[in-house]
Amino acid sequence: RNDAAGGAVSWGMGSLSAALNAPEDRPDRPPGSVWLDAAWFDKLPDAAYKYMLTHCVVDPGADPADYRWVTFEVFATFFNKVYIARTEGRSRHGKYSLQREQRVGRWLGRGAGGRLHCQYFTENPCFCLRVKEKNTPVLVQLSQPDCRLQRRDGYAHAIGLYIVKSMDGGRKKRYWKKDHSLVAPKFVEYRDVATEVLCQPYTNYFLIPCTAAPGVEMPFMLTLMSQFNFAVSEVTSQREVELKIKGAWKGRTAGGRVSGQPVWRNNPQYRLTVSEPGVFGFILHQKPVRREGRGDDHLYYISLSIYKTETGGRVVEHDKEALQLDLEFQPFGSIFSECALEVGTYTVVPMTWEHGEEGDFELSVISAAPAHIAHINTLVS
């Protein structure tokens, strides 16, 4: 389809294949070009004909009426869409109709957050999808820039798309748990990745496009198609406050898990004061540790426990009745969870699996309810 010239040209797949497969053994073939049969030019509208002629390269020594070359950039400018139509059957409306929406975005700065369990994953761009029909299938495609436009062979960065089902009013969350994910992507180094999701009515589906590695800055495009009506919009952060505090497991404070040695009680601990009841999200991010002699980065198995305390002091005994949250140990850069807390004081204890595992971490507490967090300095002999 030719949209740039104000007209449309279509042809069978055989003609397109012939146009794109010029002889490879021609020594005079311009690099990065597309071969077009000159007879095909007669089908172009006037505006497209004039534009294409000014950008074509006639093969040296050949009849100008035979064939011409155009650069891939010119070809992509004019012929940038492929339409696949269903030709059999009818919908309940008598014929098939297709809604198609596109959203263009960019991974930039902290918004290039990388995959789940990367520190800034929740800073990736986010879009909310809603449908009105029951059990509506929606095809979602994520695209990165064509490598040929940048004169590159192949794609250097793997991309993927998380689709998360949520009843949270269409607001972007600051954290996601793994069991929230409806579709977990397989990251591939392709131009496009696509999946079809069966959406329920009046339910929010968050679309989170991302690269496999954090810090990859480039534009992207989301394309959504369905036979039924749907709505998609970009989502910004909800009205939550994020409290951050940095710490480290080092020396005596690298205490390990609760069920290990008694030195677990010297792990870094933090007093959390809650002024109003609410749902609180917790993110624990660890900095990878460079292992001596191996030259690679290592991640510990980490966890997070929260205890209800009278004064918010250091926890020295594991009290199951006071335990509000106990995360499973996981070997990821970031782990997340949430729990409902009443007014009062709590002690937050980040820990590694083994005693003596040293490293830096960052703890984030997220909620719309007011709260305060502070480090507990005292240690236990």
Side-chain angles (χ1 to χ4, degrees):
R1 178 174 174 88
N2 174 357
D3 290 329
V9 177
S10 61
W11 59 91
M13 291 299 292
S15 299
L16 177 60
S17 177
L20 296 180
N21 290 280
E24 293 287 347
D25 58 350
R26 299 193 63 91
D28 49 5
R29 177 182 180 181
S33 56
V34 178
W35 178 82
L36 295 174
D37 190 330
W40 170 82
F41 277 76
D42 296 336
K43 304 176 183 179
L44 288 173
D46 290 342
Y49 182 80
K50 294 178 181 178
Y51 181 88
M52 295 291 278
L53 283 182
T54 60
H55 289 79
C56 284
V57 179
V58 178
D59 227 7
D63 185 352
D66 187 10
Y67 51 83
R68 299 182 176 91
W69 301 98
V70 294
T71 64
F72 180 79
E73 288 85 347
V74 173
F75 182 81
T77 299
F78 275 81
F79 305 100
N80 51 19
K81 295 183 178 70
V82 174
Y83 292 88
I84 302 177
R86 177 179 284 163
T87 57
E88 79 285 355
R90 287 181 174 272
S91 72
R92 62 181 181 177
H93 303 294
K95 63 179 182 179
Y96 282 107
S97 59
L98 188 68
Q99 181 181 352
R100 180 175 179 271
E101 299 286 344
Q102 286 186 321
R103 297 293 183 270
V104 177
R106 177 179 289 273
W107 294 299
L108 184 65
R110 285 180 53 164
R115 68 171 76 194
L116 185 68
H117 294 300
C118 290
Q119 183 175 9
Y120 298 118
F121 167 73
T122 57
E123 301 290 340
N124 279 302
C126 183
F127 301 82
C128 183
L129 168 65
R130 288 174 61 91
V131 301
K132 296 182 180 179
E133 299 281 349
K134 184 177 180 179
N135 297 330
T136 299
V138 179
L139 179 66
V140 185
Q141 175 180 286
L142 171 64
S143 306
Q144 61 175 310
D146 195 316
C147 65
R148 293 170 294 183
L149 291 174
Q150 302 173 4
R151 302 292 183 177
R152 293 200 318 259
D153 293 329
Y155 294 90
H157 305 295
I159 59 174
L161 178 69
Y162 288 91
I163 302 179
V164 184
K165 182 179 178 181
S166 173
M167 303 298 293
D168 200 22
R171 296 178 298 173
K172 182 179 180 180
K173 296 178 72 66
R174 295 284 188 95
Y175 55 92
W176 299 105
K177 293 191 295 184
K178 188 175 182 180
D179 55 0
H180 284 164
S181 181
L182 180 66
V183 176
K186 179 180 179 181
F187 288 89
V188 292
E189 296 173 351
Y190 294 158
R191 181 183 180 184
D192 308 295
V193 294
T195 186
E196 186 176 64
V197 58
L198 191 62
C199 300
Q200 298 176 349
Y202 306 107
T203 303
N204 299 304
Y205 293 86
F206 289 106
L207 313 177
I208 308 176
C210 59
T211 56
V216 178
E217 298 185 348
M218 62 178 176
F220 67 85
M221 183 168 63
L222 271 182
T223 303
L224 298 93
M225 291 181 287
S226 178
Q227 181 183 343
F228 303 99
N229 293 333
F230 64 87
V232 61
S233 58
E234 188 168 6
V235 184
T236 57
S237 297
Q238 59 173 318
R239 299 182 301 275
E240 292 178 321
V241 176
E242 183 173 11
L243 306 175
K244 286 188 176 183
I245 191 166
K246 293 184 178 181
W249 299 290
K250 187 175 183 180
R252 294 179 63 188
T253 64
R257 65 189 184 278
V258 172
S259 59
Q261 302 180 30
V263 291
W264 72 267
R265 63 191 66 178
N266 279 333
N267 276 304
Q269 297 191 18
Y270 300 90
R271 180 187 302 107
L272 176 64
T273 305
V274 177
S275 304
E276 295 180 8
V279 176
F280 288 77
F282 296 88
I283 304 176
L284 177 62
H285 174 76
Q286 63 171 316
K287 184 178 179 180
V289 178
R290 176 69 64 170
R291 294 191 285 191
E292 295 182 3
R294 301 187 62 172
D296 61 342
D297 291 336
H298 177 67
L299 294 174
Y300 299 129
Y301 278 81
I302 58 175
S303 178
L304 186 73
S305 296
I306 301 175
Y307 297 87
K308 179 71 180 293
T309 58
E310 294 296 331
T311 61
R314 177 167 291 274
V315 174
V316 296
E317 297 293 339
H318 177 59
D319 185 355
K320 292 185 178 180
E321 293 184 359
L323 189 63
Q324 306 294 307
L325 178 67
D326 188 19
L327 277 178
E328 176 186 359
F329 280 88
Q330 300 178 76
F332 299 130
S334 297
I335 58 175
F336 340 94
S337 192
E338 65 180 9
C339 66
L341 299 178
E342 300 295 329
V343 175
T345 55
Y346 301 83
T347 300
V348 184
V349 188
M351 63 189 75
T352 61
W353 178 256
E354 294 289 351
H355 164 62
E357 292 180 326
E358 298 186 346
D360 298 325
F361 65 84
E362 183 178 77
L363 174 65
S364 297
V365 182
I366 303 164
S367 180
H372 175 74
I373 191 169
H375 182 233
I376 302 173
N377 293 315
T378 59
L379 298 180
V380 179
S381 63

